[in-house]
Amino acid sequence: MMKLPEICIKHPVFATVLSIAIVLLGMVSYQKLSVQYFPERHTASANVNASITGASAEFMSQNVAQVLINSIAGLDKVKTMTTNCKEGSCSLKIKFEDGIDDVEYTSLMNNLRSKVEGINDFPPAMTDKPTVTDDSSDTAMPSNIITFVNKNGKMSKQEMYDFISQQLVPQFKNVSGVGGVWGPYGGSKRAVRVWLEPERMAALNVSAADVVSTLSTYNTTFTAGTIKGEIRDFSINPVNQVTSTKDVRDLVIRVDNDNIIRIKDVADVKMGEESLEPSQLEVNGHTAMSLQVLPFKSENPVTVAHHVKKAMETMQLPADLEMKMVYNQADFIQKAIDDSFMTLLEAIVLVSAIVVLFLGSLRVAIIPLITIPVCVIGVFAVMAMLGFSINVLTILAIILAIGLVVDDAIVVVENCYRHIENGLSPIQAAMTSAKEIVFPVIAMTLTLAVVYLPIGLMSGLTADLFRQFAFTLAAAVILSGFVALTLSPMMSAYLLKPKGSGAAWFVWVESKLNQLTDNYVILLKNWFERPRIVLATTFGLILLSMVAVWLIPKVLLPTEDTGFIEVTSTPPAGANRLYNLKNSGQINKVLEGNDAVETNLAYIEGSPTNHVLLTPWGERKKTANEVIDELQAEASKNISAYTTSFSVRSADNLDIATGLVLEITTVNRDLEALATTAEKVVDLLKDYPGVSNVNNSTHRDQLRYDLSIDRNAITLSGAKYSNVTNAISTFLGSVKAADLQTDDGYTYPIEVQVNRKDLGDFKVLDKLYVVSEAGQKLPLSQFVSITPVTAESNIKTYNGKDAAEITANLVSGYSASDIEAYLDQQLPQLLMAGQSYKYDGVIKELNESSAGMQVLFGLALIFIFLILAVQFESFVDPLIILLTVPLCLVGAILTLSVFGQSLNLYSKIGLLTLVGLVTKHGILMVEFANIKRKEKVELMEAAMMSARARLRPILMTSLTMIIGSLPLALADGPGSLGQINIGLVLVGGLTIGTLFSLFIVPMAYVAIVAGCERVFRARGLTQ
């Protein structure tokens, strides 16, 4: 390596070919890189789902969730395990620890499946075993929303639904990269509805079981085999004779004294909707339906969206149906990437201008500037080799690299110029300079690259997101070091010439730089005489930054403007569908009255939900958060039927709850006490202005009737308990008795239930009968009593403990750290014995991210120290160099505070990058001073000579990085908040860090080296 610059100077073609090869590899690799917003993040997880039709949440919790928890206990590498039981279903989700590889994950999933398969004590009512699914088919968030509007109303709602679900959904699912299609929303599947008539059934002595049995029997499929002839065989195909609702009506239940009783005699049979309360959707006030398309997590969402659009162009639609993609996540991603590339070009232009300004000649400036395309394009080859993608973080790394990659080449050119000014020829100057700069170039390159080395040893969200940024930037810096040792010395040898008079503007710049250097040396001498003032100022700034760190908001990631606002509306407890249909217009009126809203998708499926799509970024002046503030103000005045909350949908696909998720757990199984505490916490949060839409999983928001069955009465009457329960399930619930295979090739479920009129009458039990073994008709009301109660709609556990999950949305202007501080102060006083609380979602990720970054900072400083110790063969010099780190961090933190920004993942990335950047200044100054010391120059004079000689390259490298970061600090548009944060950190940190390092490093060098020399002399040792 030490001989490489000399070889390249002697063989210029060899040096040129090396750089051309790097560029060609990068250009080829670029074509293979996918486009994403954030790097793909894999979190190992598993899901177990179980269902029992009609079972209450309490029943599912006690008889299913607890059985699963007990059986799965002991499974390795479990980070969190949660269960959520609702009416008729129970889901268990396991998140495994970070850093699990594919082999270990496969083993864990096999172990989990074995444990679930081995469970034998599930309730008898569970007809199907729980299903265990891994994350191999996980999809990202919906990337496309496609709406369908019936323009002139000629198609019925059911015809629309059938056409979309039967004709279009299969086509979307077959699009390359599509992992799933949700919907259609705004309707329901077809089903054959067999509406039972209790009076007619009683008159004909027909039970619900008779109807279900008849339908099931006729639906039985079988194979008839073949007829073996002497010459050939004939296969026999049973023909299904029940292919229409008419055929279902005519099915015979039984024959009484030549009187044929058919299904139509006791029930009304119609083709209807499977759901009694189908979802409803309006798009800007027009009745519509929609689909949501989800790509696989591993797929490029931009490419998938392109494929979906192409597929839409080939789909044939009825003349009355209008199909439109109203939301395309790829638009945001592509715009963010395009803007990032524009920022990259701006950084290149600004850095180039600074280089030309300092070097005074385009001929000279081309030497460091040629490093930019070589490193920027060449780094794509490294990205492809490591399996990275083009995303906002890797492009951010490349933008930052613009100011870094020229640094090493500038040092080479500056050093070579110095020797030319001393009388050497350009080639001799290049040879001499090459020998001098190999050491500092390698030291500066390794120092910056090694900052990111610890990221390869970590796992978790910070590591997953930061890894691609870190390794891309490190690769660009290493390439720049390679170019500085190969191409730059060669170009310096053949392009540099002894300075002439130069252009007038450069003569002026040169004179100002010389004047600045003289003033700097004078000022430095004065500061040497005032060490206490310098020390007091330094500590004062450090204390000020510590206060700023305490006060600055801390968030995981800034909320980017995706142009998509989600509106959640919570009605009063017990409000039904009719209430929502009547009052949801209040929400739509507020939304559609805002000029920034382009499309309002108003869903009613349970509680109202709105997807609000804003006008494109270039067509509106307000940010999404500003629009939310306006909508929130209007909602508080004009929406009385609901509690509404607004949030910006993220485009990062990180699967992290962006609001508050608080788990209150208990070990003593006292659910009443848990619910009481949860209600107190809800009241506490409602008094805090930083959150909205506070929800509590233990809130008794479900109005229901507990149904009690008198088993003794059933036995004494001669009826069967199973007949009673089956009758209740069939009449009041909905029993799928069979499937109807129609002539159009589609299959529809046959649902049996009491008619809609009687279903809404509590006296229906007097009309419903079972038949005793003696043939006597007995009303169900004889055995059943109903009591109105309120109950939890779902019951949760967290890590095996009963839990109350409290969620809330963050209000604009408040951060996750603000809410955490408030709760940590107030909540412990509300807990009862055996209760505790844990954060999930964004606060948990924020805490883990903060802990991870602290480890990264510590490891980075240790690695830098060790690298510098090896390079300088000293444990003292690295300490001097690292003194610049606290000062640059001071500047960065204060800059963030002044501009009202938060401490988030982006700003932390910037802080870590600063650690490697500012150490360059110390390396240049300490290395030069050491050379002079070896030449027997007195200590103070060596420090002053180093300060004078290195001022210009330090100013030049700092300015290139600062000016190169300005486009980031001034960015706007989609994805700009992250750029602004990291840009401000670098501009502020480098400005303050450079200013102080020019004074602190020389002063520290003199003080520490002099102290060490005194110690060595006192002990009779040589240094």
Side-chain angles (χ1 to χ4, degrees):
M1 184 65 76
M2 305 300 286
K3 294 287 185 181
L4 186 59
E6 185 177 341
I7 294 172
C8 290
I9 293 171
K10 293 178 179 179
H11 302 87
V13 174
F14 172 71
T16 305
V17 168
L18 286 177
S19 293
I20 292 175
I22 291 173
V23 172
L24 288 176
L25 282 173
M27 293 174 66
V28 173
S29 300
Y30 178 79
Q31 309 297 325
K32 301 178 181 179
L33 296 173
S34 63
V35 178
Q36 295 178 328
Y37 184 70
F38 269 161
E40 181 183 351
R41 184 188 181 218
H42 178 251
T43 52
S45 62
N47 291 281
V48 182
N49 293 289
S51 62
I52 301 176
T53 303
S56 67
E58 186 178 3
F59 180 89
M60 296 299 292
S61 175
Q62 294 174 354
N63 297 279
V64 179
Q66 201 56 50
V67 173
L68 287 171
I69 291 170
N70 293 339
S71 300
I72 295 173
L75 187 67
D76 290 336
K77 304 288 185 179
V78 174
K79 187 176 183 180
T80 61
M81 179 173 64
T82 59
T83 64
N84 185 15
C85 294
K86 301 179 181 179
E87 182 178 344
S89 68
C90 174
S91 63
L92 180 146
K93 181 163 187 176
I94 295 174
K95 288 185 179 180
F96 294 106
E97 294 176 0
D98 298 318
I100 292 177
D101 58 35
D102 291 341
V103 175
E104 191 172 13
Y105 178 65
T106 301
S107 174
L108 289 170
M109 287 304 303
N110 290 336
N111 193 4
L112 175 61
R113 289 189 177 96
S114 297
K115 287 177 177 288
V116 174
E117 285 293 329
I119 300 174
N120 297 315
D121 51 350
F122 283 124
M126 184 185 288
T127 55
D128 298 318
K129 279 269 191 179
T131 58
V132 180
T133 55
D134 57 24
D135 57 12
S136 59
S137 59
D138 273 5
T139 58
M141 291 284 289
S143 62
N144 306 108
I145 297 179
I146 301 164
T147 59
F148 303 86
V149 177
N150 187 5
K151 291 185 291 185
N152 54 25
K154 289 184 178 180
M155 290 183 73
S156 69
K157 187 176 179 182
Q158 192 61 58
E159 287 173 339
M160 278 182 65
Y161 187 95
D162 291 344
F163 178 80
I164 296 169
S165 61
Q166 296 171 1
Q167 301 296 328
L168 300 185
V169 169
Q171 295 184 58
F172 281 116
K173 286 184 175 179
N174 287 328
V175 173
S176 175
V178 171
V181 178
W182 290 352
Y185 296 100
S188 174
K189 295 179 182 178
R190 278 183 188 263
V192 179
R193 303 298 312 206
V194 179
W195 300 110
L196 300 177
E197 299 291 343
E199 292 90 347
R200 286 153 58 182
M201 292 176 67
L204 295 173
N205 198 22
V206 174
S207 68
D210 293 335
V211 177
V212 173
S213 176
T214 299
L215 293 170
S216 302
T217 302
Y218 276 90
N219 189 243
T220 304
T221 58
F222 64 96
T223 57
T226 58
I227 295 177
K228 301 288 186 181
E230 293 183 4
I231 299 176
R232 55 186 298 185
D233 296 340
F234 300 89
S235 62
I236 299 177
N237 178 42
V239 177
N240 180 16
Q241 295 183 340
V242 181
T243 59
S244 67
T245 53
K246 181 180 181 302
D247 295 335
V248 175
R249 293 188 194 101
D250 292 336
L251 290 176
V252 176
I253 298 175
R254 70 170 186 267
V255 179
D256 284 344
N257 299 322
D258 295 329
N259 182 28
I260 301 175
I261 300 175
R262 302 178 186 272
I263 295 291
K264 64 183 179 183
D265 296 326
V266 295
D268 187 14
V269 180
K270 292 181 179 179
M271 181 66 78
E273 293 179 309
E274 184 176 24
S275 172
L276 294 181
E277 295 185 346
S279 64
Q280 179 171 310
L281 169 63
E282 289 185 354
V283 176
N284 292 339
H286 300 288
T287 301
M289 292 187 184
S290 72
L291 295 174
Q292 298 189 18
V293 180
L294 299 81
F296 284 115
K297 278 189 175 180
S298 57
E299 291 291 333
N300 180 350
V302 176
T303 303
V304 173
H306 176 72
H307 291 160
V308 171
K309 283 186 174 181
K310 282 287 188 183
M312 290 174 64
E313 293 173 1
T314 64
M315 293 178 181
Q316 297 181 350
L317 303 176
D320 303 328
L321 197 61
E322 181 181 71
M323 176 171 63
K324 182 180 179 181
M325 183 182 289
V326 295
Y327 171 67
N328 185 7
Q329 184 192 47
D331 291 341
F332 170 79
I333 296 174
Q334 194 64 60
K335 186 73 166 61
I337 298 297
D338 291 344
D339 287 356
S340 296
F341 274 116
M342 183 58 65
T343 304
L344 175 63
L345 292 176
E346 292 170 355
I348 291 174
V349 171
L350 290 173
V351 168
S352 301
I354 291 296
V355 173
V356 173
L357 180 67
F358 269 82
L359 297 182
S361 165
L362 186 59
R363 178 188 182 92
V364 177
I366 198 68
I367 299 172
L369 292 182
I370 199 69
T371 308
I372 295 176
V374 174
C375 296
V376 168
I377 298 174
V379 80
F380 292 132
V382 180
M383 290 169 59
M385 182 178 65
L386 296 175
F388 293 172
S389 63
I390 294 176
N391 55 67
V392 291
L393 291 178
T394 50
I395 295 180
L396 192 56
I398 295 172
I399 294 172
L400 295 182
I402 300 303
L404 296 175
V405 297
V406 296
D407 284 2
D408 294 337
I410 288 172
V411 172
V412 172
V413 173
E414 280 286 328
N415 204 49
C416 188
Y417 241 138
R418 187 168 57 85
H419 287 294
I420 291 175
E421 288 178 331
N422 291 335
L424 295 180
S425 68
I427 291 182
Q428 290 175 327
M431 287 286 192
T432 304
S433 174
K435 294 176 183 178
E436 295 175 352
I437 56 88
V438 170
F439 172 78
V441 166
I442 293 176
M444 289 188 298
T445 300
L446 289 180
T447 300
L448 188 55
V450 83
V451 168
Y452 304 114
L453 185 60
I455 201 73
L457 309 175
M458 299 183 65
S459 59
L461 176 65
T462 301
D464 290 342
L465 295 186
F466 194 13
R467 187 176 291 110
Q468 291 199 19
F469 169 89
F471 288 177
T472 299
L473 185 57
V477 170
I478 291 172
L479 283 175
S480 73
F482 178 77
V483 172
L485 296 178
T486 55
L487 189 63
S488 298
M490 182 275 291
M491 293 181 71
S492 298
Y494 295 98
L495 291 181
L496 293 183
K497 293 181 179 180
K499 287 185 180 178
S501 58
W505 65 268
F506 182 66
V507 172
W508 181 84
V509 170
E510 190 79 2
S511 66
K512 293 300 180 183
L513 284 174
N514 291 333
Q515 183 181 344
L516 178 64
T517 302
D518 293 338
N519 291 335
Y520 162 64
V521 171
I522 294 171
L523 189 60
L524 180 60
K525 288 181 179 178
N526 292 334
W527 280 113
F528 265 112
E529 298 172 1
R530 299 176 177 85
R532 292 183 179 178
I533 296 178
V534 174
L535 195 63
T537 303
T538 301
F539 276 106
L541 283 172
I542 292 174
L543 287 174
L544 185 60
S545 68
M546 292 174 67
V547 173
V549 168
W550 181 264
L551 297 177
I552 194 170
K554 299 171 187 66
V555 300
L556 184 64
L557 289 166
T559 303
E560 297 285 2
D561 182 357
T562 61
F564 190 144
I565 296 174
E566 292 182 314
V567 184
T568 304
S569 302
T570 306
N576 60 11
R577 178 181 176 83
L578 186 61
Y579 178 92
N580 292 323
L581 290 173
K582 182 179 179 181
N583 293 287
S584 59
Q586 295 181 13
I587 307 167
N588 299 328
K589 186 176 180 181
V590 167
L591 297 176
E592 292 165 12
N594 192 292
D595 58 1
V597 174
E598 182 175 60
T599 306
N600 170 32
L601 282 76
Y603 298 89
I604 295 181
E605 190 171 15
S607 299
T609 301
N610 293 71
H611 289 167
V612 180
L613 307 174
L614 305 181
T615 54
W617 296 275
E619 298 178 17
R620 58 180 161 94
K621 298 180 180 179
K622 293 176 284 191
T623 66
N625 280 327
E626 289 171 342
V627 174
I628 285 178
D629 291 340
E630 292 180 359
L631 293 175
Q632 193 77 62
E634 286 297 313
S636 63
K637 292 185 293 184
N638 299 308
I639 298 177
S640 58
Y642 301 94
T643 302
T644 55
S645 66
F646 303 82
S647 61
V648 180
R649 176 183 277 195
S650 66
D652 50 38
N653 291 326
L654 295 178
D655 192 25
I656 298 173
T658 55
L660 170 69
V661 180
L662 178 67
E663 304 285 353
I664 302 175
T665 61
T666 180
V667 295
N668 54 24
R669 311 246 30 205
D670 189 345
L671 297 183
E672 290 295 331
L674 181 65
T676 300
T677 300
E679 285 299 327
K680 292 179 181 178
V681 176
V682 168
D683 293 338
L684 180 70
L685 287 170
K686 286 181 176 178
D687 291 336
Y688 182 67
V691 295
S692 64
N693 194 31
V694 182
N695 289 305
N696 170 20
S697 67
T698 63
H699 182 60
R700 293 181 172 266
D701 57 352
Q702 185 183 44
L703 300 178
R704 77 178 190 205
Y705 286 83
D706 278 354
L707 185 146
S708 303
I709 300 175
D710 190 338
R711 289 175 178 261
N712 292 331
I714 293 173
T715 303
L716 292 173
S717 68
K720 288 185 177 180
Y721 180 78
S722 59
N723 289 345
V724 173
T725 57
N726 289 338
I728 292 171
S729 298
T730 304
F731 281 122
L732 303 183
S734 179
V735 172
K736 179 186 172 185
D739 287 312
L740 176 66
Q741 295 179 350
T742 59
D743 292 331
D744 61 6
Y746 295 100
T747 300
Y748 304 99
I750 301 176
E751 301 284 344
V752 182
Q753 192 172 18
V754 74
N755 65 77
R756 291 296 297 268
K757 178 183 177 183
D758 286 328
L759 193 58
D761 184 3
F762 292 120
K763 296 180 180 180
V764 69
L765 291 178
D766 293 328
K767 302 179 182 180
L768 305 181
Y769 295 88
V770 291
V771 180
S772 68
E773 292 180 350
Q776 184 182 5
K777 292 186 297 183
L778 304 171
L780 286 178
S781 57
Q782 182 175 328
F783 316 114
V784 176
S785 61
I786 294 180
T787 306
V789 296
T790 57
E792 298 95 337
S793 56
N794 57 357
I795 298 176
K796 295 176 178 285
T797 68
Y798 184 80
N799 287 340
K801 302 174 185 176
D802 291 312
E805 183 176 270
I806 297 173
T807 60
N809 293 337
L810 274 62
V811 172
S812 178
Y814 289 84
S815 68
S817 59
D818 296 333
I819 298 168
E820 182 183 15
Y822 172 73
L823 286 174
D824 285 343
Q825 182 180 13
Q826 302 289 334
L827 198 153
Q829 310 165 39
L830 305 179
L831 298 178
M832 301 182 189
Q835 294 177 350
S836 60
Y837 71 97
K838 287 186 177 295
Y839 295 107
D840 206 351
V842 68
I843 293 181
K844 179 181 178 182
E845 293 289 352
L846 174 62
N847 291 335
E848 291 181 355
S849 172
S850 299
M853 288 303 297
Q854 291 172 12
V855 173
L856 273 179
F857 269 100
L859 290 176
L861 290 173
I862 292 171
F863 274 78
I864 290 174
F865 178 83
L866 295 177
I867 289 291
L868 292 176
V870 171
Q871 293 286 331
F872 283 90
E873 196 61 35
S874 166
F875 289 111
V876 175
D877 291 344
L879 290 176
I880 300 172
I881 294 169
L882 288 176
L883 285 175
T884 57
V885 171
L887 300 173
C888 74
L889 298 182
V890 168
I893 296 297
L894 293 179
T895 304
L896 286 175
S897 299
V898 168
F899 285 91
Q901 297 297 320
S902 62
L903 193 60
N904 54 62
L905 189 61
Y906 286 106
S907 49
K908 290 173 184 176
I909 288 174
L911 292 172
L912 189 58
T913 304
L914 274 178
V915 173
L917 289 177
V918 296
T919 52
K920 281 190 170 188
H921 304 156
I923 291 171
L924 288 172
M925 300 181 80
V926 171
E927 184 268 340
F928 191 93
N930 284 346
I931 291 175
K932 294 304 174 185
R933 290 286 289 153
K934 290 178 182 177
E935 296 173 0
K936 306 301 182 184
V937 176
E938 188 268 333
L939 180 60
M940 176 69 78
E941 184 62 24
M944 297 301 295
M945 291 176 67
S946 172
R948 175 181 287 276
R950 293 309 193 196
L951 175 65
R952 182 164 173 159
I954 286 175
L955 288 178
M956 191 171 176
T957 56
S958 295
L959 273 176
T960 54
M961 194 64 213
I962 292 170
I963 298 299
S965 300
L966 273 180
L968 293 175
L970 301 175
D972 61 1
S976 61
L977 290 182
Q979 295 182 12
I980 292 171
N981 274 270
I982 199 168
L984 289 174
V985 166
L986 294 177
V987 171
L990 280 173
T991 302
I992 302 297
T994 301
L995 179 64
F996 275 88
S997 63
L998 289 172
F999 294 94
I1000 297 297
V1001 171
M1003 295 178 70
Y1005 181 82
V1006 171
I1008 293 175
V1009 171
C1012 289
E1013 288 179 350
R1014 286 195 297 270
V1015 171
F1016 276 96
R1017 284 196 299 269
R1019 298 185 178 182
L1021 302 173
T1022 58
Q1023 192 171 7

